[in-house]
Amino acid sequence: MTAKDLESFQENLKKEIWNRALKDGLITGNDSDNALPIYDGVSDFEGYLSSNPRIMFILKEAYDDTTESDAGVIIPYGGGWSLPDLFKECSEKGKWPVTTWQRVIYVLYGAKHGPQYKDMDYIKNDPEMGDVLLSTCWINLNKMPGLSTSDNSRVRDESLSHWIDIVKKQIDIYDPEIIVFGGTLFKDDEFYYQFLSDKDWQRRIPVEGEDFLVKYIKDGRLILDAKHPGLRKDVERWVNSLIKEIREFKR
């Protein structure tokens, strides 16, 4: 797999996601559509392929704007853009405004450069820290925009109904050595078995001292079942536990 091959796959996948949304009635393809797919993947293809290790984060869904439905319900609005392109734009501007991104940046930066959470500067003071996102694969289970707070049951259902085969294809093609599920390895047979089996469950490895992190080794790949990076407490523990597991796997 070359950087050009991976870039071509990602571009072609945009068309597949669009066509799936059209086929499943999530969009009409007309100007009247309120919400369009938000594309994910990798910003820096060469950087990703040369990363040691290659890391993929699987999160719930991206969000954009909102509007009111005819019934007065707040619904997603916007989309039609690419998260990898947005990451490149944030890098150029030196601004990483989303809390979820920042937490992942602390993990990736610490895993790559060594410091623990308390020893790192604030990202706003050192925005170049955020460039670690460019060589990371960021995947969302739901390819349509959601709200700023996601409902687990809805995201699970959306993924199983429309996107699960595409997510599995992304795992296969990007071939990460580490997958971090950020609150997205739902403990539901139909969903869980898309990624792990009964035998994998029996071989799960609770991380000592961390009640919110479980790891699996499957086919030489490290799978981390972690809380969502938007958690409101224990941020330092969350960041440091992931740094530790990534660095140990790398060694």
Side-chain angles (χ1 to χ4, degrees):
M1 173 73 70
T2 67
K4 192 169 184 179
D5 291 336
L6 199 59
E7 182 176 12
S8 177
F9 164 75
Q10 190 161 293
E11 284 302 310
N12 289 331
L13 195 65
K14 289 181 182 179
K15 300 173 186 175
E16 185 173 345
I17 290 171
W18 175 272
N19 289 333
R20 176 66 56 80
L22 197 61
K23 173 178 174 290
D24 289 1
L26 303 176
I27 60 174
T28 66
N30 299 321
D31 293 340
S32 58
D33 285 323
N34 282 328
L36 301 172
I38 296 177
Y39 307 104
D40 49 22
V42 171
S43 302
D44 177 359
F45 302 102
E46 290 186 3
Y48 174 74
L49 290 174
S50 63
S51 293
N52 179 26
R54 296 183 303 277
I55 300 175
M56 171 185 285
F57 272 77
I58 298 183
L59 280 301
K60 296 177 184 177
E61 58 192 1
Y63 64 91
D64 196 344
D65 207 345
T66 59
T67 188
E68 276 194 16
S69 69
D70 294 339
V73 177
I74 299 299
I75 58 174
Y77 183 89
W81 45 270
S82 157
L83 195 59
D85 288 344
L86 180 58
F87 284 168
K88 285 189 280 189
E89 182 180 323
C90 289
S91 174
E92 291 168 2
K93 292 181 177 179
K95 293 182 179 180
W96 302 93
V98 180
T99 299
T100 296
W101 302 351
Q102 294 171 4
R103 304 276 172 75
V104 174
I105 289 168
Y106 284 125
V107 169
L108 297 170
Y109 188 86
K112 184 174 182 178
H113 298 289
Q116 296 288 287
Y117 181 78
K118 66 180 177 60
D119 299 319
M120 295 185 221
D121 201 351
Y122 291 110
I123 294 170
K124 66 180 181 180
N125 296 335
D126 186 6
E128 289 187 7
M129 292 170 62
D131 289 349
V132 292
L133 279 186
L134 303 181
S135 56
T136 301
C137 188
W138 188 295
I139 299 300
N140 288 312
L141 290 177
N142 181 19
K143 308 304 184 185
M144 294 296 290
L147 301 174
S148 57
T149 301
S150 301
D151 176 79
N152 285 351
S153 296
R154 181 185 53 75
V155 172
R156 169 202 172 278
D157 292 344
E158 289 288 328
S159 175
L160 285 171
S161 298
H162 308 295
W163 310 114
I164 197 69
D165 60 318
I166 289 178
V167 172
K168 291 165 71 176
K169 180 185 292 188
Q170 289 177 301
I171 293 173
D172 183 52
I173 298 298
Y174 291 112
D175 190 25
E177 294 163 287
I178 297 177
I179 301 176
V180 181
F181 285 87
T184 48
L185 193 55
F186 303 122
K187 299 303 185 292
D188 171 276
D189 289 353
E190 187 179 357
F191 184 89
Y192 180 89
Y193 290 160
Q194 301 291 331
F195 303 101
L196 296 167
S197 66
D198 279 333
K199 288 183 178 180
D200 297 317
W201 173 253
Q202 293 165 5
R203 291 195 295 260
R204 69 193 185 281
I205 308 168
V207 178
E208 186 176 354
E210 303 298 348
D211 56 357
F212 50 67
L213 182 63
V214 177
K215 62 182 177 181
Y216 307 79
I217 302 293
K218 182 176 176 66
D219 302 326
R221 172 182 287 153
L222 175 63
I223 297 177
L224 295 171
D225 178 11
K227 282 191 175 180
H228 189 276
L231 75 172
R232 297 185 179 183
K233 60 181 182 178
D234 291 327
V235 174
E236 182 173 352
R237 283 180 58 204
W238 185 88
V239 169
N240 288 342
S241 63
L242 288 175
I243 289 174
K244 177 177 178 288
E245 295 304 323
I246 292 171
R247 289 183 67 82
E248 285 187 358
F249 182 83
K250 181 178 178 179
R251 285 195 293 269

